[in-house]
Amino acid sequence: MPQSEGGYVSLPAMNGNGSAIYQSTTEPQLASPNSVFESMRRAFGQAIKSSPGENEELVRMDRPVVIVGGGTRDRDKTGKTLNTKMPSAPTHTAEEAHLLGTMPVDPMDDIELRSVQLQFPNARGSILEACEQRRVPTDKGDVHVAIQGDTSKPAIVTYHDLGLNYATSFAGFFNYPVMRGLLENFCVYHVTAPGQEEGAPTLPEDYVYPTMDDLAAQLLFVLSHFGLKSVIGFGVGAGANILARFAHANPDKVGALCLINCVSTQSGWIEWGYQSFNARFLRTKGMTQGVIDYLMWHHFGRNPEERNHDLVQMYKQHFERGVNPTNLAMLINAYIHRNDLHLARTPPGTPGAETAATTLKMPVINITGSLSPHVDDTVTFNGRLDPTNSSWMKISDCAMVLEEQPAKLAEAFRLFLQGEGYVSEKPQ
C-alpha cells in the first residue's frame, strides 16, 4: 500500500470496491501470515479483473509501493521508526548485465592456444641437431662421438647402456631444463659403442668385437683426438662399467665419476644364461619378444607399465625398430664375458697397502633406482669404493633414473659437481 510518513493513502476505487481493497490490505496486524497473503491475492485478483484502462492506471502510478508492517513491528524499543524499505539495487547492475549480454554463447570460444613455445623443449630430436657428429679412429675400429656444447669448456664423457645409444639414453636427460642450464658451463662428448649408433650397418661376420677392457681403452683415443687432459665420466649400466674400468686404469684422466646402475663384478650364472640365449636369438632370429622383455627388465625392472605406460611403449618400439640385432648381440656377448673390476676398499691402517692402488682415486657418486634390478650390484660396488670420496644414492619410485626421475638426478649431479668445484652457483 502507498505510505507517506507513517500514514495510509487510499487507492482509487475500482469497480466501486475501493473500501474492500483498503480493508483487506490493512489487516495484517490482526491476521495470521496466511491471511495476509490471501488478502493480497484477492486484492491483485480484483485489480486484474478490472478494465484495461483502470489496470494501466494502477500500473503507471508514480507513487512508490512498499510493504508496511503494523503495530509495534514498525518501531524499535526506543520508539524510532524502522526503515522497512528494501535496499536498492547496485548502480552497476545495468552495466554488468550489458557486459554479460555481450559474452559469447560458447565459453570455449575465447580460449585459444595461438602460440605455445617451450623454452627448453625436452625433445629427443633436438640433441641430434645440437650435436656435432664425429667418427674417431681407434685400434679396434671407429667410434662414433657426438659433441654437445663449447669444446673450450670442461669435458663430460657419457657412455650408454645395452640396447641404447647416446640419443636414446641421454637426449631426454640432457635436454631437461636444469641440465640445459648446467651444461652451459660444460661440453659433453657422447661416446657410442661400435655398431650401436642410430642406423648403423651390420658389422662384418669376421669382425672381432672389442672386450670391455678394449672399449675402455678406446676412450684414450677419444681424449687424444679432442685434446682432452681430464674429463668427468657419466655412464649408465654397461657404460658405467666401461667408464669405471677406464678410470681405474687411467686415474689421472678422470676428475670425477657419476655412475648409474654400475656392476663391478663378473656376470653370474643366471645373467650369463639369459644373455647368452638373447645373443643367440639376436643373431639367428632378430629382435624377438623374449629379448625385448629381458631388455625392458634390464632397464625398468618389474611391471614398468604401472609407472609410465607411454615411456615403456616408446622404448619397446625403439628395441623393435631402432636397434641392429647382430650388432647388439656382439655388445651383449662382450658384456657377459666381462671380468671383475678388481676393486677393493682397503681397511685403514693396513700395513703395506695403498688405497689408491686398489680402488678408484677420484670422487664417485654411485646412483641407482629403488625399483632397479641392479640395486644389489650398486651396493657391492659401493662397498669397494673409498668412503671418503664416494657416495651411494638410491632414488625412489624409479628404475631407469634418467627417464623416470630426471629432476632428482639433475639436482644430485649439480650438487656433486658443485662440491668438486665445477659449478659455483645454481643455474637459473
Side-chain angles (χ1 to χ4, degrees), residues 6-228:
Y8 295 102
V9 178
S10 300
L11 291 173
M14 295 182 181
N15 295 332
N17 198 20
S19 59
I21 296 176
Y22 180 81
Q23 293 175 358
S24 62
T25 56
T26 55
E27 297 175 347
Q29 59 183 2
L30 301 176
S32 63
N34 294 333
S35 62
V36 172
F37 291 111
E38 183 65 20
S39 300
M40 294 179 66
R41 185 183 65 81
R42 290 198 303 269
F44 282 105
Q46 294 175 0
I48 294 173
K49 292 179 181 179
S50 61
S51 61
E54 295 174 345
N55 189 17
E56 293 178 358
E57 181 181 0
L58 177 63
V59 174
R60 294 178 181 176
M61 292 178 63
D62 295 332
R63 287 172 292 182
V65 179
V66 296
I67 299 176
V68 186
T72 58
R73 290 184 298 174
D74 293 341
R75 303 177 181 273
D76 58 9
K77 295 181 180 180
T78 60
K80 296 181 179 180
T81 304
L82 297 176
N83 185 10
T84 57
K85 295 183 179 182
M86 297 294 291
S88 59
T91 57
H92 59 274
T93 303
E95 181 180 359
E96 290 182 352
H98 176 71
L99 293 176
L100 292 175
T102 59
M103 291 183 64
V105 177
D106 187 359
M108 296 301 293
D109 289 347
D110 59 343
I111 302 177
E112 182 177 358
L113 300 178
R114 297 182 180 273
S115 178
V116 179
Q117 295 180 355
L118 294 178
Q119 184 178 2
F120 297 112
N122 191 15
R124 301 179 182 278
S126 60
I127 194 174
L128 300 176
E129 302 173 358
C131 291
E132 179 185 356
Q133 313 295 326
R134 295 280 191 88
R135 297 199 68 86
V136 179
T138 69
D139 58 343
K140 299 293 183 180
D142 293 347
V143 174
H144 182 272
V145 180
I147 308 170
Q148 181 181 5
D150 187 358
T151 55
S152 63
K153 296 180 178 180
I156 297 177
V157 174
T158 68
Y159 219 114
H160 59 89
D161 201 356
L162 298 177
L164 304 176
N165 51 54
Y166 83 94
T168 54
S169 186
F170 299 108
F173 178 69
F174 280 94
N175 276 292
Y176 195 72
V178 177
M179 290 303 300
R180 287 287 296 270
L182 179 66
L183 292 181
E184 293 179 357
N185 302 319
F186 296 92
C187 181
V188 185
Y189 297 82
H190 300 285
V191 181
T192 303
Q196 308 304 313
E197 62 270 14
E198 197 78 21
T202 303
L203 296 173
E205 295 182 1
D206 58 347
Y207 177 76
V208 179
Y209 204 86
T211 64
M212 296 296 286
D213 289 327
D214 294 335
L215 292 173
Q218 285 182 330
L219 296 177
L220 281 175
F221 293 88
V222 175
L223 268 63
S224 177
H225 182 82
F226 295 106
L228 305 176

Side-chain angles (χ1 to χ4, degrees), residues 232-234 243-244 247 254-259 360 362-366 416:
I232 300 170
F234 191 98
L243 287 175
V254 180
L257 280 176
C258 179
L259 305 178
L360 296 178
M362 69 291 303
V364 180
I365 179 171
N366 180 23
F416 174 66

